[in-house]
Amino acid sequence: MATNILRTRPLWQKLLASLVLLFVALLLVLMFFPWDVLREPVNRYVSEKTGRKFEITRRLDVDLGWRAATVKFDGIEFANPSWARDPYLVKADRAEFDIRIWPLVTSKIVIPRLALFSPTLGLQMEQDGRRTWAFGKDTSDGGTVPSIGLMQIDSGAIDFLAKHLGVDLHADVKYDTSLGAMPLSYRIKGRYKGQPLTADGSTGNVLQINAAGAPPFPLEINAAAGQTKLKASGTVAELASLDGVDAKFQLKGQTLGALFPLLGIALPQTSPYALSGDLSKRGTLWQVAGLKGKLGLSDIAGDMRFDQATQVPYLAGDLRSKVMDMDDLGPLIGLPPTSRSATAVEGVAPPPSITQVRRPAGAKVLPTAPLDFERLRAMNADVKYTADRIQNVREIPLDRGSVQVKLKDGVLTLDPLDLGVGGGKLAGAIRIDAAKNPADIRASLDLRGMQLARLFPKLETTGNSVGRIDGRLNLSGSGNSVATWLGGSSGDVAVLAGRGQFGNLLPVFATLVGGDIIKFLLRGDRNVELRCAAVAFDVNKGLMTGRTLVVDTTNALFTATGQASLANETLNFEVHPEPKSKNILSLRTPLVVRGTFGDPSGGVAVGPLAGRGLAALALGAVNPLLALAATIETGPGQDADCKDVVAGANKPTAGAAAQGAARAKGAKQP
């Protein structure tokens, strides 16, 4: 009767029942299939397809599911390509992995989970794109690269070599459940970006290579590359792209400039530093929040962002120092850090070369160290820096400072640059075009309202007011160091001073008016009024020629002529004092200033002084009292026309100086 029922059913029901029976039978076959019989065929097939030896050494087993299968290898050896240094890509006591079934139809290998037990891994990549983990006979970008989600390792060793990146690392990993949430410890040794690297730390035993949606895994690291030291702890979501990073870090080193080969961030040369903060990464954007620490003797704080979304990475930030020490500015212009700043950071060895307290005789004053402009092409930037107070300023009375640093397509601009100087303000811009070799450098700075008493603290303590100083510097030229740029620059330099008063002692010694010295000793100090002063130079290819060199006071007029060579760092000036009163014991003799920037010398001109000396000697032979006649000053000095003095100082002479000054002014934003 049952047979009759089946016979009476429609054909489609008969076909469906047959398919169900067939599928159940297939499932039963697969469930009880002796997968190990396929071990040798699988070994031969994978070896043929990849062009390198693959062997499951002991047993093969498979657990099938609807969407994925779990493959278990008891003993595995998978050789590397012949060009690789290490003989094996993977060699392990056991391995198992989950593999998605349906992507295999399109030749995609998706492995959500990979577990290796006591493995040794030999990873290597070449500049031409070859990678040992690319499957197929073509191991370049055309090879099949599996997508791995989670990786689980108990204990083993990993080697990674990428000569073109300067990377050659060996890592030993060890699994220990007593370590709690981070049972996998590691030790790394080798070279990174050409520098020796050591590192150790711990992490979770399940690493997320590129598993989307999985919880982040914990990671701790303590690393040293050269003189750069890093401590960090936090979590990472994806290891392959190093995405989803949230960590706290501490970073130390001899100079921030050393981070360029390590991280690709073009930071300036600095004094030794120690920084800490909160680091995060989402996609291509790295961010540092709550950055704080020291750069030499200066404190630093702020926030930074580094975006790798575009072909040229972009750095932005806002930094501030409560106190900035002048010794820490030297490395920015090619000078080594001083001994004070080089030893200011605990745990960082000072650089091999630091400046001495006393400059060696004959040493150059202008920095000659080549500035590394090549790295300026590696990224774009917009960073603002502010120093609330500047200390250790020595002869330059800097109070505070701020600068906006912009870098675009190899052109670096410091604009606006704003410094508080002696109660006044120095503002302007500096532009460096590193796309050219040597670099095209332009500087345009204006000084407004600096108090002269702040430049000479001894005058300030007397209670004298010496008025204000205004000035400017407009220089342009080419060079790869501060010295070569200044040595070939052209433009205009000028300093102007208005009315004020200062103690009598300074002009007395400057003019060698002997009678005034006697009056000062007998009657005490008295004030001398400064009518005006102008010191202006035309600069032509590093040679500074005095255009207007005038200081006019109520008791003397000083005019000077001469030159200073920025290329040779030499001085050659002659100062002519013109007293405005009749004085006895005056030598009214020109003063000369010569020598070098590092070792200037001064004195009286020998010729005029010798003439007066011979006259005094001859008269003294007749009567010693008559010898005083040779030193009587009739006071021919006249007041300077301050309007004409300022007008002359305010305009560079036509030619190279005027052209250089005009080019320098182009450094400022319109």
Side-chain angles (χ1 to χ4, degrees):
M1 184 173 180
T3 303
N4 293 333
I5 294 175
L6 289 173
R7 288 176 180 175
T8 60
R9 287 185 176 182
L11 179 62
W12 69 269
Q13 290 184 353
K14 295 178 181 179
L15 292 175
L16 179 61
S18 299
L19 288 174
V20 170
L21 290 173
L22 181 62
F23 184 73
V24 170
L26 180 60
L27 283 178
L28 291 173
V29 170
L30 292 175
M31 287 175 62
F32 296 101
F33 185 80
W35 292 100
D36 193 53
V37 301
L38 299 179
R39 178 159 50 94
E40 289 303 325
V42 168
N43 290 344
R44 290 192 298 270
Y45 177 80
V46 175
S47 298
E48 173 62 27
K49 286 295 184 180
T50 61
R52 39 185 157 148
K53 183 181 178 182
F54 175 84
E55 184 176 5
I56 306 167
T57 59
R58 291 187 292 274
R59 182 176 176 79
L60 168 66
D61 198 6
V62 177
D63 293 334
L64 286 176
W66 289 104
R67 301 175 59 186
T70 299
V71 182
K72 301 176 182 180
F73 298 148
D74 188 6
I76 180 177
E77 294 179 357
F78 192 10
N80 262 326
S82 58
W83 49 264
R85 178 183 64 182
D86 295 316
Y88 292 102
L89 171 64
V90 180
K91 186 175 182 180
D93 287 345
R94 288 189 301 123
E96 65 179 53
F97 60 91
D98 300 333
I99 184 168
R100 298 271 173 82
I101 295 175
W102 299 113
L104 291 174
V105 177
T106 58
S107 299
K108 292 182 179 179
I109 302 175
V110 179
I111 300 176
R113 181 184 67 91
L114 171 62
L116 298 173
F117 302 87
S118 300
T120 57
L121 303 178
L123 308 177
Q124 185 172 334
M125 62 186 301
E126 296 294 306
Q127 189 170 8
D128 58 9
R130 291 177 297 169
R131 292 160 291 174
T132 58
W133 59 92
F135 296 160
K137 293 183 179 180
D138 181 6
T139 57
S140 65
D141 287 339
T144 302
V145 179
S147 174
I148 301 175
L150 305 177
M151 177 178 285
Q152 189 171 4
I153 301 175
D154 61 352
S155 298
I158 303 172
D159 284 285
F160 180 70
L161 175 64
K163 290 183 179 179
H164 61 292
L165 299 177
V167 179
D168 186 359
L169 300 174
H170 174 84
D172 292 309
V173 295
K174 184 178 180 181
Y175 183 72
D176 186 352
T177 56
S178 67
L179 297 178
M182 290 187 284
L184 193 66
S185 61
Y186 60 87
R187 299 185 70 87
I188 300 174
K189 188 175 182 179
R191 299 189 71 83
Y192 180 74
K193 300 295 186 180
Q195 297 189 39
L197 171 72
T198 59
D200 60 75
S202 57
T203 181
N205 67 314
V206 178
L207 308 182
Q208 293 156 33
I209 306 302
N210 52 17
F217 65 93
L219 177 67
E220 290 183 352
I221 187 170
N222 183 5
Q227 295 297 324
T228 303
K229 300 177 182 180
L230 169 68
K231 284 186 177 182
S233 62
T235 58
V236 181
E238 294 185 9
L239 196 59
S241 59
L242 205 60
D243 198 12
V245 175
D246 288 291
K248 294 184 179 296
F249 74 91
Q250 296 177 2
L251 190 65
K252 292 182 178 182
Q254 286 184 344
T255 171
L256 286 175
L259 295 179
F260 177 65
L262 296 175
L263 304 178
I265 304 177
L267 297 175
Q269 299 297 326
T270 66
S271 298
Y273 66 91
L275 303 173
S276 64
D278 296 322
L279 176 68
S280 66
K281 181 177 185 285
R282 298 293 183 272
T284 60
L285 180 63
W286 292 85
Q287 296 189 82
V288 175
L291 178 71
K292 61 181 180 180
K294 295 178 63 178
L295 289 176
L297 297 156
S298 307
D299 68 274
I300 190 79
D303 302 292
M304 299 291 289
R305 304 181 305 279
F306 186 62
D307 195 347
Q308 297 172 301
T310 57
Q311 184 176 0
V312 180
Y314 178 75
L315 178 70
D318 195 337
L319 301 174
R320 178 178 294 273
S321 293
K322 293 181 180 178
V323 179
M324 191 274 286
D325 194 284
M326 281 291 290
D327 276 6
D328 298 321
L329 292 182
L332 295 177
I333 57 174
L335 293 174
T338 67
S339 57
R340 293 176 65 247
S341 58
T343 57
V345 178
E346 184 179 355
V348 178
S353 175
I354 59 176
T355 59
Q356 304 298 318
V357 176
R358 294 184 179 180
R359 185 180 301 274
K364 293 286 187 178
V365 172
L366 299 177
T368 59
L371 301 175
D372 189 358
F373 295 133
E374 180 67 27
R375 64 181 61 187
L376 296 184
R377 308 183 189 102
M379 72 177 195
N380 294 329
D382 188 350
V383 178
K384 183 178 180 181
Y385 172 72
T386 301
D388 295 336
R389 183 167 66 88
I390 302 176
Q391 69 179 13
N392 188 34
V393 294
R394 298 185 179 90
E395 293 84 3
I396 304 174
L398 293 176
D399 305 318
R400 52 165 185 81
S402 67
V403 62
Q404 183 120 13
V405 181
K406 297 180 181 179
L407 176 60
K408 184 173 177 59
D409 300 329
V411 178
L412 175 69
T413 58
L414 279 64
D415 186 13
L417 175 64
D418 186 350
L419 299 175
V421 185
K425 179 178 179 179
L426 179 66
I430 297 175
R431 180 182 185 273
I432 300 174
D433 187 352
K436 300 178 181 179
N437 189 14
D440 177 43
I441 306 176
R442 308 177 190 182
S444 181
L445 302 172
D446 292 311
L447 177 66
R448 293 289 180 266
M450 188 185 83
Q451 300 300 316
L452 185 59
R454 295 287 303 277
L455 191 60
F456 298 100
K458 291 182 180 179
L459 292 181
E460 191 173 28
T461 59
T462 66
N464 293 310
S465 171
V466 293
R468 53 177 261 172
I469 292 180
D470 297 328
R472 65 175 179 275
L473 180 149
N474 292 304
L475 292 177
S476 61
S478 299
N480 289 330
S481 70
V482 173
T484 56
W485 168 58
L486 289 175
S489 63
S490 297
D492 168 40
V493 178
V495 177
L496 309 174
R499 288 186 176 272
Q501 291 183 337
F502 52 88
N504 192 34
L505 187 60
L506 182 64
V508 163
F509 283 99
T511 59
L512 295 181
V513 181
D516 276 355
I517 293 177
I518 293 175
K519 287 187 289 185
F520 171 79
L521 293 175
L522 294 178
R523 297 163 48 189
D525 192 15
R526 66 181 178 86
N527 287 329
V528 175
E529 183 180 350
L530 173 68
R531 298 186 67 248
C532 61
V535 178
F537 295 91
D538 289 326
V539 186
N540 184 1
K541 295 181 179 179
L543 183 63
M544 299 178 62
T545 301
R547 177 173 72 246
T548 303
L549 304 175
V550 175
V551 176
D552 187 16
T553 73
T554 53
N555 76 333
L557 172 66
F558 306 89
T559 58
T561 58
Q563 295 176 326
S565 173
L566 296 173
N568 300 323
E569 297 193 8
T570 55
L571 302 166
N572 187 10
F573 290 96
E574 189 169 288
V575 182
H576 301 271
E578 299 288 343
K580 297 180 180 179
S581 61
K582 296 181 179 180
N583 296 294
I584 199 168
L585 300 178
S586 174
L587 298 178
R588 193 172 171 232
T589 303
L591 307 174
V592 294
V593 180
R594 291 174 182 159
T596 65
F597 291 0
D599 186 23
S601 60
V604 294
V606 176
L609 181 59
R612 290 207 170 194
L614 289 175
L617 181 62
L619 292 172
V622 179
N623 188 329
L625 293 178
L626 294 179
L628 294 177
T631 64
I632 292 177
E633 176 57 63
T634 57
Q638 302 293 321
D639 288 346
D641 188 333
C642 287
K643 185 176 180 180
D644 289 343
V645 168
V646 172
N650 266 327
K651 187 175 182 181
T653 305
Q659 294 172 5
R663 290 186 72 248
K665 291 179 181 178
K668 297 180 180 180
Q669 290 182 348

